[in-house]
Amino acid sequence: MNLTTVNEEKCIKCGLCVEECPLGVLKLESTGPKEVNPDACFACGHCVAICPKEAIDNNKSPLVMQSEIGQVKKLNAEEAKNFIRARRSIRSYKNTRVEREKLMELVDVAHLAPTASNSQGISYIIIDDKKAIQLAVEECINWFENDSTWSKMLSGMIKGYRENKVDTILRDAPSIILTLADDNFYNGRENSILSLSYLELYAPSLDLGSCWAGIFEICARSENSPINKIFNIPEKKKITGVVMVGYPKYSYKRFTDRQPLSASFYEN
């Protein structure tokens, strides 16, 4: 076997690794699992993680790199729903620098998000230099002003910034986090959205708030964006997502509802 190694003394031939493999890499034989399609493996590590006897190893997702889950306490349904409902998009931040340890913890959790076919391929740039963030806002405003469509659509935002230095682009956030992917990586945007969603859900556990920087992304993700130069984006990389991060200036006392749910079961 080139990809997997099976300890036949430990293997109980339960077949769980074969059943769980999403791409049919393994086949159960009388002596245990055997490779039949190793080139299809995308390193999900399910075969190693599901084995009750630690009998199988995989070169792409080695046993030594997988830690025991143990008895992880799960939130009950109400706790989980309230945890999700309590997260809000934060647009007002304290003028307090976020500790770099916390920013690294955020991207470490973001890095755990699922990706299309386990493609991963997302890297992160953390910016906590206030002057660099302010420069990015200025260049973003310039870019909008020089675009015939956006200058009209965002005229109020541009006017507020020019006349009163009101930053409604990055909201005076003390830090922002960018996701990057190779410029020819077709799943880069989708993987980044999942990644930053994990980050945003985790942020409140560190007493942090976050908000998707959608307006800023319009400029940052455009062709020949000035943001690439400001943040030294490598030539063959592209910005695929941006979130603001900081300590919330205010706390919220109530949950809010969404528009009425629209959902139905398919009936043939």
Side-chain angles (χ1 to χ4, degrees):
M1 289 188 177
N2 297 320
L3 177 66
T4 56
T5 303
V6 177
N7 185 322
E8 295 185 5
E9 292 183 2
K10 290 184 176 181
C11 180
I12 59 174
K13 304 173 185 61
C14 63
L16 290 176
C17 57
V18 175
E19 291 181 21
E20 185 59 14
C21 178
L23 293 172
V25 173
L26 301 170
K27 177 182 179 182
L28 186 62
E29 297 185 351
S30 58
T31 55
K34 301 294 181 183
E35 290 176 10
V36 291
N37 191 21
D39 292 338
C41 177
F42 57 38
C44 68
H46 287 2
C47 58
V48 178
I50 203 170
C51 180
K53 297 296 183 179
E54 295 187 353
I56 189 169
D57 208 348
N58 184 309
N59 292 340
K60 292 185 177 181
S61 185
L63 178 62
V64 295
M65 299 293 289
Q66 296 194 12
S67 55
E68 287 284 341
I69 294 177
Q71 297 298 316
V72 178
K73 183 182 181 301
K74 294 183 179 180
L75 300 176
N76 63 40
E78 183 179 5
E79 290 171 336
K81 185 175 182 179
N82 286 339
F83 168 75
I84 292 171
R85 290 187 73 193
R87 193 217 70 83
R88 299 185 68 89
S89 294
I90 301 301
R91 297 179 177 87
S92 298
Y93 299 95
K94 293 179 180 178
N95 187 23
T96 304
R97 185 182 178 92
V98 179
E99 300 88 338
R100 287 193 164 188
E101 293 79 8
K102 287 190 175 183
L103 293 170
M104 281 301 300
E105 193 169 346
L106 283 177
V107 297
D108 187 49
V109 167
H111 186 57
L112 300 175
T115 55
S117 299
N118 197 32
S119 52
Q120 301 183 55
I122 302 302
S123 57
Y124 306 85
I125 294 182
I126 304 168
I127 298 113
D128 59 356
D129 182 327
K130 202 63 184 291
K131 289 183 178 180
I133 293 174
Q134 290 170 346
L135 175 60
V137 172
E138 178 71 30
E139 289 298 318
C140 194
I141 289 290
N142 291 339
W143 188 86
F144 285 131
E145 281 182 322
N146 291 311
D147 184 280
S148 58
T149 300
W150 290 113
S151 61
K152 294 177 182 177
M153 292 181 65
L154 302 178
S155 59
M157 179 180 290
I158 294 169
K159 182 179 180 180
Y161 180 82
R162 290 300 184 209
E163 294 183 358
N164 301 304
K165 285 297 180 182
V166 176
D167 174 15
T168 48
I169 293 180
L170 291 177
R171 305 282 176 173
D172 294 314
S175 49
I176 60 174
I177 296 176
L178 280 61
T179 52
L180 305 181
D182 290 344
D183 57 11
N184 60 352
F185 183 33
Y186 69 97
N187 280 327
R189 175 63 170 169
E190 291 79 1
N191 289 355
S192 296
I193 290 171
L194 288 168
S195 172
L196 293 177
S197 294
Y198 263 44
L199 182 153
E200 289 204 289
L201 283 172
Y202 186 68
S205 68
L206 300 178
D207 297 322
L208 296 172
S210 63
C211 185
W212 205 279
I215 297 296
F216 182 76
E217 277 191 353
I218 294 169
C219 173
R221 297 182 60 229
S222 67
E223 291 292 330
N224 302 314
S225 171
I227 307 305
N228 292 330
K229 184 175 181 181
I230 294 172
F231 296 138
N232 298 318
I233 306 302
E235 185 177 344
K236 293 186 178 181
K237 294 284 186 178
K238 60 183 177 182
I239 297 172
T240 50
V242 185
V243 292
M244 302 169 261
V245 176
Y247 286 102
K249 191 173 182 179
Y250 309 109
S251 61
Y252 295 89
K253 312 303 180 186
R254 286 168 288 280
F255 293 127
T256 58
D257 283 329
R258 298 295 191 190
Q259 296 175 5
L261 175 65
S262 176
S264 61
F265 287 99
Y266 168 74
E267 299 290 348
N268 190 355

XYZ file of all heavy atoms in Angstrom, residues 197-244:
374
model
N -17.054 32.694 8.378
C -18.268 32.452 9.161
C -17.922 31.748 10.468
O -18.485 32.068 11.527
C -19.264 31.601 8.351
O -19.738 32.315 7.229
N -16.986 30.799 10.414
C -16.505 30.160 11.642
C -15.891 31.208 12.560
O -16.140 31.239 13.769
C -15.457 29.100 11.304
C -15.982 27.694 11.211
C -17.173 27.404 10.550
C -15.276 26.635 11.777
C -17.639 26.100 10.454
C -15.743 25.332 11.693
C -16.917 25.066 11.028
O -17.387 23.784 10.948
N -15.071 32.070 11.978
C -14.400 33.116 12.759
C -15.427 34.010 13.448
O -15.285 34.325 14.642
C -13.509 33.934 11.828
C -12.659 35.066 12.403
C -11.421 35.296 11.534
C -13.436 36.378 12.509
N -16.454 34.415 12.714
C -17.446 35.331 13.278
C -18.259 34.685 14.398
O -18.620 35.338 15.374
C -18.368 35.838 12.174
C -17.692 36.795 11.212
C -18.681 37.701 10.522
O -19.444 37.213 9.671
O -18.700 38.891 10.859
N -18.543 33.394 14.272
C -19.270 32.709 15.329
C -18.413 32.539 16.581
O -18.920 32.578 17.705
C -19.744 31.334 14.837
C -20.960 31.324 13.913
C -21.184 29.932 13.346
C -22.207 31.790 14.658
N -17.119 32.381 16.393
C -16.220 32.141 17.521
C -15.843 33.422 18.253
O -15.567 33.406 19.459
C -14.951 31.434 17.017
C -14.003 31.002 18.111
C -14.343 29.992 18.999
C -12.764 31.617 18.264
C -13.492 29.589 20.010
C -11.895 31.225 19.269
C -12.262 30.207 20.133
O -11.410 29.825 21.134
N -15.845 34.542 17.542
C -15.361 35.811 18.109
C -15.980 36.172 19.458
O -15.262 36.592 20.374
C -15.571 36.938 17.098
N -17.316 36.042 19.655
C -17.886 36.434 20.955
C -17.328 35.651 22.135
O -17.333 36.157 23.265
C -19.389 36.164 20.767
C -19.610 36.283 19.301
C -18.377 35.702 18.690
N -16.839 34.434 21.909
C -16.270 33.657 23.014
C -14.972 34.274 23.507
O -14.505 33.966 24.605
C -16.031 32.205 22.579
O -15.003 32.126 21.615
N -14.391 35.177 22.707
C -13.189 35.914 23.111
C -13.526 37.357 23.474
O -12.638 38.203 23.557
C -12.159 35.897 21.968
C -11.659 34.525 21.496
C -10.692 34.685 20.333
C -11.007 33.758 22.634
N -14.822 37.621 23.659
C -15.334 38.967 23.960
C -15.111 39.934 22.801
O -15.061 41.157 22.997
C -14.692 39.536 25.234
C -15.035 38.717 26.472
O -16.180 38.257 26.549
O -14.152 38.540 27.332
N -14.992 39.403 21.602
C -14.772 40.218 20.415
C -16.032 40.283 19.567
O -16.911 39.426 19.656
C -13.624 39.654 19.586
C -12.240 39.664 20.235
C -11.242 38.905 19.371
C -11.757 41.097 20.461
N -16.092 41.307 18.745
C -17.157 41.433 17.771
C -16.570 41.492 16.377
O -15.394 41.819 16.202
N -17.388 41.193 15.394
C -16.902 41.208 14.018
C -18.021 41.609 13.083
O -19.200 41.594 13.449
C -16.362 39.826 13.613
O -17.413 38.868 13.644
N -17.653 41.960 11.872
C -18.639 42.308 10.844
C -18.001 42.114 9.480
O -16.827 42.453 9.269
C -19.089 43.761 11.006
S -20.412 44.250 9.860
N -18.771 41.560 8.580
C -18.287 41.375 7.217
C -18.107 42.735 6.548
O -19.005 43.568 6.587
C -19.278 40.535 6.423
C -18.631 39.813 5.282
C -18.330 40.323 4.061
C -18.196 38.463 5.275
N -17.730 39.379 3.276
C -17.631 38.220 4.009
C -18.223 37.433 6.208
C -17.103 36.977 3.643
C -17.696 36.204 5.853
C -17.149 35.986 4.590
N -16.947 42.956 5.945
C -16.640 44.254 5.331
C -17.036 44.246 3.860
O -16.190 44.323 2.954
C -15.156 44.583 5.498
N -18.340 44.177 3.611
C -18.833 44.005 2.253
C -18.520 45.161 1.320
O -18.141 44.944 0.164
N -18.684 46.391 1.797
C -18.387 47.555 0.954
C -16.894 47.597 0.618
O -16.501 47.841 -0.520
C -18.822 48.863 1.655
C -20.345 48.880 1.867
C -18.385 50.074 0.836
C -21.146 48.890 0.590
N -16.089 47.342 1.623
C -14.646 47.334 1.408
C -14.252 46.256 0.396
O -13.365 46.460 -0.445
C -13.932 47.089 2.743
C -12.429 47.113 2.647
C -11.742 48.313 2.522
C -11.700 45.933 2.693
C -10.357 48.340 2.431
C -10.320 45.948 2.610
C -9.644 47.163 2.478
N -14.926 45.119 0.451
C -14.623 44.012 -0.466
C -14.847 44.399 -1.925
O -14.145 43.888 -2.807
C -15.503 42.799 -0.150
C -14.979 41.930 0.962
C -15.745 40.632 1.039
O -16.768 40.470 0.318
O -15.336 39.767 1.813
N -15.816 45.263 -2.188
C -16.080 45.668 -3.570
C -14.809 46.219 -4.201
O -14.455 45.889 -5.339
C -17.204 46.727 -3.617
C -18.523 46.109 -3.164
C -17.342 47.301 -5.032
C -19.626 47.142 -2.922
N -14.120 47.057 -3.444
C -12.858 47.617 -3.918
C -11.733 46.593 -3.839
O -10.975 46.411 -4.791
C -12.507 48.857 -3.098
S -10.877 49.546 -3.436
N -11.634 45.898 -2.703
C -10.515 44.984 -2.459
C -10.474 43.819 -3.438
O -9.401 43.325 -3.781
C -10.569 44.461 -1.031
N -11.635 43.379 -3.915
C -11.700 42.219 -4.799
C -11.767 42.608 -6.276
O -11.902 41.744 -7.141
C -12.902 41.342 -4.424
C -12.818 40.763 -3.012
C -13.991 39.849 -2.684
N -14.019 38.731 -3.617
C -15.106 38.329 -4.278
N -16.259 38.968 -4.120
N -15.053 37.308 -5.107
N -11.662 43.892 -6.569
C -11.718 44.347 -7.956
C -10.378 44.132 -8.657
O -9.345 43.917 -8.016
C -12.083 45.831 -8.007
O -11.028 46.608 -7.449
N -10.398 44.174 -9.967
C -9.164 44.084 -10.740
C -8.300 45.315 -10.459
O -8.802 46.439 -10.384
C -9.491 44.020 -12.244
C -10.156 42.717 -12.677
C -9.233 41.524 -12.577
O -7.998 41.710 -12.731
O -9.737 40.406 -12.340
N -7.013 45.083 -10.291
C -6.055 46.175 -10.041
C -6.442 47.021 -8.827
O -6.320 48.250 -8.836
C -5.929 47.072 -11.280
C -5.495 46.298 -12.517
O -4.558 45.500 -12.449
N -6.167 46.524 -13.633
N -6.925 46.370 -7.800
C -7.327 47.082 -6.593
C -6.123 47.732 -5.913
O -5.062 47.122 -5.784
C -8.000 46.121 -5.606
O -8.213 46.747 -4.361
N -6.272 48.965 -5.432
C -5.179 49.626 -4.706
C -4.877 48.932 -3.376
O -3.800 49.126 -2.804
C -5.706 51.043 -4.480
C -7.197 50.909 -4.516
C -7.465 49.840 -5.529
N -5.823 48.152 -2.881
C -5.642 47.464 -1.604
C -4.526 46.425 -1.696
O -3.827 46.162 -0.720
C -6.964 46.811 -1.154
C -8.098 47.839 -1.156
C -6.815 46.165 0.216
C -7.837 49.074 -0.328
N -4.342 45.841 -2.877
C -3.285 44.839 -3.051
C -1.913 45.415 -2.729
O -1.079 44.759 -2.091
C -3.295 44.302 -4.490
C -4.534 43.486 -4.792
O -5.106 42.859 -3.908
N -4.952 43.493 -6.047
N -1.695 46.642 -3.144
C -0.393 47.285 -2.920
C -0.226 47.679 -1.462
O 0.854 47.503 -0.879
C -0.249 48.510 -3.817
C 1.112 49.181 -3.731
C 1.227 50.328 -4.731
C 2.606 50.985 -4.659
N 2.720 52.115 -5.625
N -1.278 48.193 -0.857
C -1.200 48.632 0.538
C -0.810 47.482 1.453
O 0.043 47.627 2.336
C -2.546 49.233 0.989
C -2.831 50.521 0.231
C -2.545 49.502 2.504
C -4.221 51.072 0.483
N -1.411 46.317 1.232
C -1.182 45.182 2.127
C -0.223 44.141 1.543
O -0.134 43.020 2.050
C -2.515 44.534 2.491
C -3.425 45.430 3.277
C -4.782 45.483 3.008
C -2.934 46.231 4.297
C -5.627 46.311 3.734
C -3.757 47.069 5.028
C -5.116 47.106 4.743
N 0.483 44.522 0.472
C 1.511 43.658 -0.120
C 0.975 42.270 -0.464
O 1.582 41.241 -0.124
C 2.708 43.523 0.830
C 3.393 44.846 1.100
O 3.589 45.645 0.188
N 3.741 45.094 2.351
N -0.165 42.232 -1.141
C -0.737 40.956 -1.551
C 0.154 40.331 -2.630
O 0.475 40.992 -3.629
C -2.166 41.141 -2.100
C -3.038 41.884 -1.074
C -2.775 39.795 -2.467
C -3.160 41.224 0.264
N 0.596 39.088 -2.451
C 1.447 38.456 -3.454
C 0.809 38.465 -4.837
O -0.423 38.417 -4.973
C 1.590 37.015 -2.925
C 1.393 37.139 -1.444
C 0.366 38.220 -1.275
N 1.641 38.515 -5.851
C 1.176 38.699 -7.235
C 0.171 37.642 -7.670
O -0.788 37.946 -8.385
C 2.380 38.689 -8.183
C 2.023 39.003 -9.619
C 3.230 39.056 -10.523
O 4.367 39.145 -9.992
O 3.058 39.005 -11.750
N 0.359 36.397 -7.283
C -0.521 35.328 -7.750
C -1.616 34.990 -6.736
O -2.232 33.931 -6.819
C 0.305 34.087 -8.076
C 1.224 34.298 -9.274
C 1.917 33.024 -9.674
C 2.792 33.249 -10.908
N 3.474 32.005 -11.345
N -1.849 35.900 -5.797
C -2.917 35.711 -4.823
C -4.006 36.761 -5.046
O -3.765 37.806 -5.656
C -2.383 35.853 -3.394
C -1.405 34.770 -2.966
C -2.124 33.476 -2.645
C -1.153 32.456 -2.070
N -1.849 31.194 -1.700
N -5.189 36.489 -4.542
C -6.277 37.464 -4.603
C -6.991 37.494 -3.252
O -7.044 36.490 -2.527
C -7.271 37.104 -5.703
C -7.942 35.748 -5.547
C -8.848 35.436 -6.713
C -9.469 34.032 -6.581
N -10.314 33.702 -7.752
N -7.534 38.657 -2.921
C -8.325 38.802 -1.703
C -9.686 38.171 -1.942
O -10.361 38.458 -2.927
C -8.477 40.286 -1.326
C -7.102 40.897 -1.004
C -9.425 40.445 -0.139
C -7.126 42.405 -0.808
N -10.095 37.290 -1.029
C -11.354 36.568 -1.210
C -12.378 36.868 -0.119
O -13.524 36.433 -0.209
C -11.092 35.050 -1.244
O -10.274 34.696 -0.109
C -10.374 34.653 -2.527
N -11.970 37.599 0.918
C -12.903 37.948 1.979
C -12.247 38.882 2.977
O -11.024 38.875 3.125
N -13.072 39.684 3.660
C -12.557 40.641 4.654
C -13.572 40.776 5.784
O -14.767 40.964 5.535
C -12.313 42.045 4.046
C -11.656 42.952 5.083
C -11.483 41.969 2.781
N -13.099 40.691 7.028
C -13.956 40.987 8.172
C -13.265 41.993 9.084
O -12.033 42.037 9.172
C -14.335 39.735 9.002
C -15.232 38.803 8.230
C -13.089 39.018 9.507
N -14.064 42.809 9.749
C -13.578 43.723 10.785
C -13.643 43.006 12.121
O -14.565 42.210 12.355
C -14.454 44.971 10.839
C -14.548 45.741 9.540
S -15.855 47.006 9.606
C -17.198 46.164 8.768
